[in-house]
Amino acid sequence: MLTDLKAQPADKILQLMQFYREDPRDNKIDLGVGVYKDATGLTPVMRAVKAAEKRIWEEQKSKSYTGLAGDPAYSAAMRDLILADSVDAGRVAAAATPGGTGALRQAFELIKLANPDATIFVSNPTWPNHLSIIKFLGLPMVQYRYFDDKSCDVDFDGMMASLAAVKAGDVVLLHGCCHNPTGANLTLEQFAQVADLIVEKGAMPLVDIAYQGFGDGLEEDAAATRLIASKVPEMLLAASCSKNFGIYRERTGILMAISADASQTANTQGTLSYLNRQNYSFPPDHGARIVSTILSDADLTADWKSELEEVRLGMLSLRTQLANELRLRTNSDRFDFIATHRGMFSRIGASPEEVQSMRDTHAIYMVGDSRMNIAGLNAQTIPLLAEAISVTCK
Ligand code: LMR
């Protein structure tokens, strides 16, 4: 049996992590996987997370199972954090999942259950694992135009032209904020137009929000998701706590499903619980409990928000510094978009050969499509990267 297994394609982001680890050069710079690092290269445990873990350790009396959909307090806290009052809470079903990827997987499974003929429209480009999971599940998929390689901005006309092909019952996957891999984002006005088109077509949005708090602020980054939720009858929402709570390895995510009518919610909730049972039974609890402990305590919430804001402002400052360095070195405004992109990533428009050359010659690791993790930079590495880009990129 096992001899019949075919080798599977490697995930490009994870493969890059491996290449980086194996590179013996001291001056190597990791701008690959989307993990936040401070100026010393550490991915710190946030203060509020430490405090919440201490409290859980002291107060938790049992590690027996939670519900199949996880702890309702976690679901309610996440619903408030992301959706606020944009929809009636009675319309929102939710299930805790192992990370944002688990939420996406369950979302795609739910789509397959509800309408196996649904075509999922995904941005071109998108996070590679979106494509991989959709293909793995055998769901029909179409990529819509999203990024203009020349301006490194959103090609909104192209996007709307592609989405004209959406049909009733299809699903449009949108990045709620901080588009991965490009860093180029729709304006709220553009999100509103997309939501209107989805409603007009009788389709459903699936919003993936994995970087809330990394772009323009915690509330600002949720604004598009809230706007869409307020406009559409039905919506799926996959969220991750990996980045904004810094709890990557705890695998903490959530899938929310908003029904058109509160009378449908119990059935939708039952389906989410059923899907959890089929895939892994009870979802992991520790990360979810950290999150609900923080969000149910005013002091911990305030401390978490202030640390998250420091992280966000730090990344913005790195963006500005890099754009300035590139301005000086290229004597042009060609890379100014780096300062206007938002979130952890920017796709800088280098060719695969140029990306490879930066790796070979300058020990700089970015994903092959020229996505770089801004949080992997610091004051020392910015001039090195700017130099490498300016001598390599045509
Ligand atoms: C990324 O895009 O680098 C992150 O979301 C990590 C991952 O799992 O790919």
Side-chain angles (χ1 to χ4, degrees), residues 190-248:
Q190 290 169 333
F191 270 114
Q193 287 185 49
V194 172
D196 290 342
L197 182 80
I198 289 172
V199 175
E200 188 191 309
K201 299 278 185 186
M204 179 174 69
L206 161 55
V207 177
D208 179 3
I209 183 159
Y211 296 90
Q212 186 185 354
F214 272 36
D216 290 313
L218 206 51
E219 299 300 315
E220 293 82 348
D221 291 348
T225 305
R226 293 173 189 169
L227 179 74
I228 299 164
S230 71
K231 280 177 168 281
V232 299
E234 294 184 333
M235 165 168 153
L236 296 177
L237 175 60
S240 169
C241 300
S242 296
K243 279 85 180 183
N244 52 8
F245 286 86
I247 50 174
Y248 303 83

Side-chain angles (χ1 to χ4, degrees), residues 41-104:
L42 180 75
T43 304
V45 182
M46 294 177 89
R47 296 184 299 264
V49 168
K50 275 274 185 214
E53 285 190 304
K54 184 163 183 279
R55 193 176 297 175
I56 293 165
W57 184 81
E58 283 164 356
E59 295 176 5
Q60 192 169 52
K61 295 211 165 45
S62 172
K63 286 204 183 279
S64 178
Y65 292 123
T66 56
L68 264 184
D71 178 9
Y74 168 66
S75 296
M78 289 299 287
R79 188 191 64 222
D80 291 348
L81 181 70
I82 305 171
L83 291 170
D85 56 4
S86 58
V87 282
D88 167 15
R91 287 173 52 210
V92 185
T97 56
T101 306
L104 287 162

Side-chain angles (χ1 to χ4, degrees), residues 13 33-34 127 180 211 243 345 371:
I13 297 171
V33 69
W127 183 49
N180 178 7
Y211 296 90
K243 279 85 180 183
F345 309 115
R371 182 193 88 166

Side-chain angles (χ1 to χ4, degrees), residues 141-369:
M141 178 179 68
V142 164
Q143 290 200 264
Y144 59 81
R145 272 152 68 191
Y146 183 81
F147 191 64
D148 177 7
D149 285 314
K150 291 225 164 51
S151 64
C152 290
D153 200 354
V154 174
D155 171 10
F156 188 64
D157 291 342
M159 177 175 175
M160 291 302 272
S162 304
L163 292 181
V166 169
K167 300 213 169 31
D170 287 344
V171 175
V172 180
L173 175 50
L174 298 164
H175 298 225
C177 65
C178 306
H179 186 268
N180 178 7
T182 66
N185 297 288
L186 300 184
T187 63
L188 268 188
E189 170 54 32
Q190 290 169 333
F191 270 114
Q193 287 185 49
V194 172
D196 290 342
L197 182 80
I198 289 172
V199 175
E200 188 191 309
K201 299 278 185 186
M204 179 174 69
L206 161 55
V207 177
D208 179 3
I209 183 159
Y211 296 90
Q212 186 185 354
F214 272 36
D216 290 313
L218 206 51
E219 299 300 315
E220 293 82 348
D221 291 348
T225 305
R226 293 173 189 169
L227 179 74
I228 299 164
S230 71
K231 280 177 168 281
V232 299
E234 294 184 333
M235 165 168 153
L236 296 177
L237 175 60
S240 169
C241 300
S242 296
K243 279 85 180 183
N244 52 8
F245 286 86
I247 50 174
Y248 303 83
R249 65 176 66 165
E250 302 298 351
R251 308 313 298 136
T252 309
I254 193 162
L255 173 62
M256 296 185 217
I258 304 174
S259 299
D261 191 277
S263 63
Q264 173 61 33
T265 306
N267 187 36
T268 310
Q269 183 63 58
T271 306
L272 295 186
S273 299
Y274 167 80
L275 283 173
N276 267 8
R277 183 67 169 159
Q278 303 322 303
N279 280 323
Y280 38 77
S281 206
F282 297 86
D285 179 71
H286 186 67
R289 202 153 294 272
I290 291 169
V291 169
S292 59
T293 300
I294 292 172
L295 295 178
S296 62
D297 180 290
D299 291 341
L300 289 183
T301 300
D303 190 37
W304 168 66
K305 284 184 179 172
S306 91
E307 191 168 355
L308 178 59
E309 187 63 0
E310 277 167 37
V311 163
R312 185 182 79 81
L313 293 175
M315 284 188 293
L316 274 187
S317 157
L318 292 169
R319 284 187 177 282
T320 316
Q321 289 173 50
L322 179 59
N324 288 344
E325 281 282 342
L326 283 162
R327 227 168 209 261
L328 285 176
R329 280 164 211 265
T330 62
N331 202 23
S332 81
D333 58 7
R334 177 177 163 198
F335 292 100
D336 279 9
F337 63 82
I338 290 172
T340 45
H341 280 175
R342 283 294 178 271
M344 212 173 215
F345 309 115
S346 270
R347 179 158 158 172
I348 60 164
S351 68
E353 295 73 30
E354 289 166 344
V355 170
Q356 186 65 45
S357 159
M358 282 191 271
R359 191 185 312 170
D360 296 342
T361 313
H362 304 275
I364 290 170
Y365 283 73
M366 60 179 81
V367 183
D369 64 359

